[in-house]
Amino acid sequence: MYLVHARLESDEHTELPANTPGLVTRSAGPGEHLQHVVMHTNRATGPVLGLFLLATTLEEAEHTAATLCQRVLDENPELRRFRLASCGVAMPSSYYERILRSAGTERPLGN
């Protein structure tokens, strides 16, 4: 299972309607293997939908999430002011930094 974060943005800087997770859930087809949707509001970065998906690969999960989110944005008038800014699995950098340290590499990720 993958947790894919879909970050949305709007020129109006408005919040997503409270029923957005339900809209995503109802729009998902059986082949998309959506398990659950959560919504987070963040005034600094914009709203984020967290989609829990069963998928064989990371790429498949990210593609499915992006396709599903774009469909929901296109099909629901109350969401048309939003656009998909990014869609991907968040990488837990502390986990990978710990792996690098155990391998003898001391520099932090991203440097």
Side-chain angles (χ1 to χ4, degrees), residues 63-83:
H63 175 75
T64 298
T67 300
L68 177 55
C69 287
Q70 190 60 58
R71 183 170 63 243
V72 170
L73 294 175
D74 292 342
E75 292 178 352
N76 293 278
E78 66 267 39
L79 298 177
R80 288 205 178 120
R81 65 182 173 264
F82 292 93
R83 63 187 163 274

Side-chain angles (χ1 to χ4, degrees), residues 1-8 16 21 24 32-40 47-70 84-92:
M1 183 177 304
Y2 293 92
L3 169 57
V4 181
H5 291 151
R7 190 174 65 80
L8 306 176
L16 283 171
V24 175
E32 291 174 309
H33 305 291
L34 178 68
Q35 302 299 299
H36 185 66
V37 181
V38 295
M39 181 171 71
H40 303 282
V48 175
L49 295 173
L51 289 81
F52 292 83
L53 296 154
L54 294 177
T56 307
T57 65
L58 171 65
E59 293 81 12
E60 178 186 337
E62 290 177 334
H63 175 75
T64 298
T67 300
L68 177 55
C69 287
Q70 190 60 58
L84 188 59
S86 65
C87 192
V89 172
M91 294 302 205

